[in-house]
Amino acid sequence: MASMTGSASPAAQSGRTTSEDDHHVSPSDIAVGVIIGRTSEFFDFFVFAIASVIVFPARIFPFLDPLTGTLWSFVLVALAFVARPLGTVLFTALDRRHGRVTKLTVALFLLGTSTVAMGLVPSYETAGWWAIAMLALLRIGQGLALGGTWDGLAPLLAITASKDKRGFYAMIPQLGAVVGLAVAAVLFAYLVMTLSAADFLDWGWRYPFFVAFAINVVALFARLRIVDTPEFKELFETNELTPTGLRATMSQDGRTVLLGVFVPLASFAMFHMVTVFPLSWIFLYTDEAPGTFLLIEAAGAGVGVLAMLVSGWLSDRIGREKILVWGAWAIGAFALTAPLLLNGGQAGVVAYMMVGFVVLGFNFAQSSGTIASLFDRRNRYTASAMVSALSWMFGAGFAPLAALLLSTWFGLFAAGLYLLSGAVCTLIALALARQISLQPKGHD
């Protein structure tokens, strides 16, 4: 198939209709839609993650001590990551039968309503164990929905960009993750710092969950506008972005899927090691105000954006593989030393967060493009979705729980062991990929 930045398709050569011209979008337009979509997803997830530290132990698990309540809250955090692969399977089937517009509409509606409903869940004192059950069910709903929000826009973005800028454009979808985190952190920081503790725990914590629905509506329309473009339809018709059956995908590319799960593992684990885990440690074991830490976290996200931009620019000059290898080594070094900074006062916390976000941004920027580049167009859509879902589950889903348990049992140095294991897995996966010649395929 001709690149959309190169020779035109037959439809284009014969002249597009006025309607098609009206709906034509450039890679920059796609980039905006992708960022908005990813921002909505990660905003929903980080609203829950932040609340799992500063809200749910007191409201949902008040019968437990703060540490145990936080650990059980992290179990709820993990539920969505466990449910996500199942959501990928279910929504891919929906995509094949009823189309991407239907799939995205249902998935984002489920994501938004699940998140909003979390803000309506009563406390344990009011509803008892039903409060825990409702929150767990809604968290599973979030995970299923996130499995359905995979829209193929990330590979579309890389394909429509010029060849010398594909690394940079493949980085762009990842920006939405840190933007969503920053918005959630700032919103919670504002509420924590302006409301009394009683008011915040009574009703103030609910507002970020309500805001999520508005963000999801914007994200839905931004995505549907792109899905309806001639570029997307052309790629769909030529099998570039066609969802394939899970059985066929695993039969043809199962080995690559298995290997691909471990390629971005380090960066996905790193994401929670500089966001959720440090918040829990600061909240449980230091006198640092949570609002102050959340602002530091938002500032760190800004630093992470800059690191991602540099990573995207650099990948077009030295190659994505070098970025991933260097990034994995940097994550390993961070895992061995940086967690000790969390006991170093505010200066240590700031250093941990800023260094952590630089390392995260440098490596995380390449994870989306790397996953897509492992597959040719035959199974790229479904295989990439499954790899992403499974890698997030193994890399990030249990990271806050494992890190908090290890640091509580053995000290902060042990918190990095989970992260170190992810870095090792990524380095081994990259080495195996080279040995079996799993080079980027298709347009990458």
Side-chain angles (χ1 to χ4, degrees), residues 206-228:
R206 302 179 186 275
Y207 281 94
F209 289 87
F210 299 153
V211 170
F213 190 80
I215 295 178
N216 279 314
V217 170
V218 174
L220 174 60
F221 283 104
R223 286 178 166 184
L224 293 183
R225 176 179 177 270
I226 297 170
V227 169
D228 196 41

Side-chain angles (χ1 to χ4, degrees), residues 137-155:
L137 183 62
L138 293 171
R139 182 62 176 167
I140 292 173
Q142 275 190 328
L144 293 174
L146 192 61
T149 58
W150 180 268
D151 48 22
L153 293 183

Side-chain angles (χ1 to χ4, degrees), residues 39-408:
T39 298
S40 71
E41 296 167 10
F42 280 88
F43 176 83
D44 287 27
F45 261 56
F46 277 109
V47 163
F48 188 94
I50 293 171
S52 71
V53 175
I54 65 177
V55 177
F56 297 149
R59 286 190 56 87
I60 305 299
F61 300 104
F63 53 91
L64 301 173
D65 62 85
L67 171 61
T68 307
T70 303
L71 290 172
W72 277 107
S73 294
F74 283 167
V75 171
L76 295 181
V77 169
L79 283 178
F81 292 94
V82 174
R84 180 175 176 176
L86 177 58
T88 298
V89 173
L90 294 176
F91 278 99
T92 298
L94 183 65
D95 190 347
R96 296 178 68 201
R97 293 184 180 182
H98 301 287
R100 202 143 308 164
V101 171
T102 299
K103 185 195 79 163
L104 287 176
T105 302
V106 174
L108 286 174
F109 181 78
L110 176 60
L111 180 63
T113 52
S114 295
T115 306
V116 169
M118 288 172 176
L120 301 173
V121 172
S123 66
Y124 179 84
E125 283 86 355
T126 302
W129 288 95
W130 283 108
I132 301 174
M134 283 187 283
L135 197 58
L137 183 62
L138 293 171
R139 182 62 176 167
I140 292 173
Q142 275 190 328
L144 293 174
L146 192 61
T149 58
W150 180 268
D151 48 22
L153 293 183
L156 174 64
L157 182 57
I159 291 166
T160 54
S162 59
K163 188 173 182 179
D164 61 339
K165 294 182 179 179
R166 283 178 184 162
F168 184 85
Y169 274 96
M171 168 275 304
I172 287 179
Q174 306 304 91
L175 293 174
V178 289
V179 172
L181 162 67
V183 174
V186 169
L187 183 54
F188 264 111
Y190 172 78
L191 293 169
V192 168
M193 298 173 78
T194 57
L195 298 175
S196 66
D199 285 342
F200 175 76
L201 286 177
D202 184 31
W203 53 268
W205 67 273
R206 302 179 186 275
Y207 281 94
F209 289 87
F210 299 153
V211 170
F213 190 80
I215 295 178
N216 279 314
V217 170
V218 174
L220 174 60
F221 283 104
R223 286 178 166 184
L224 293 183
R225 176 179 177 270
I226 297 170
V227 169
D228 196 41
T229 61
E231 291 93 341
F232 199 97
K233 291 179 178 178
E234 181 179 349
L235 288 171
F236 183 86
E237 292 167 358
T238 55
N239 297 323
E240 185 70 40
L241 294 174
T242 299
T244 52
L246 181 62
R247 180 177 300 178
T249 299
M250 295 304 295
S251 173
Q252 297 165 358
D253 286 309
R255 184 178 65 167
T256 311
V257 168
L258 179 61
L259 183 63
V261 169
F262 296 96
V263 170
L265 203 67
S267 61
F268 290 176
M270 182 71 174
F271 210 106
H272 276 177
M273 286 298 293
V274 295
T275 55
V276 185
F277 164 68
L279 175 61
S280 67
W281 183 267
I282 294 298
F283 191 71
L284 288 170
Y285 295 115
T286 74
D287 295 326
E288 186 82 37
T292 301
F293 177 82
L294 288 170
L295 291 178
I296 294 173
E297 193 166 64
V303 173
V305 168
L306 296 177
M308 293 172 73
L309 294 173
V310 172
S311 179
W313 174 83
L314 197 59
S315 70
D316 285 320
R317 284 150 182 82
I318 67 173
R320 181 181 294 141
E321 184 178 349
K322 289 183 179 180
I323 298 288
L324 291 170
V325 172
W326 294 352
W329 280 109
I331 288 175
F334 181 88
L336 291 173
T337 58
L340 298 176
L341 293 172
L342 292 177
N343 272 346
Q346 189 172 79
V349 171
V350 171
Y352 176 93
M353 296 302 293
M354 298 306 152
V355 173
F357 269 103
V358 168
V359 174
L360 170 67
F362 188 76
N363 208 40
F364 184 69
Q366 303 305 317
S367 60
S368 178
T370 301
I371 292 172
S373 70
L374 291 173
F375 306 96
D376 58 27
R377 69 183 189 180
R378 177 184 57 183
N379 291 318
R380 177 177 289 165
Y381 182 87
T382 300
S384 297
M386 283 304 302
V387 167
S388 180
L390 292 171
S391 191
W392 273 109
M393 182 180 72
F394 289 117
F398 303 99
L401 180 63
L404 185 56
L405 274 175
L406 289 170
S407 60
T408 300

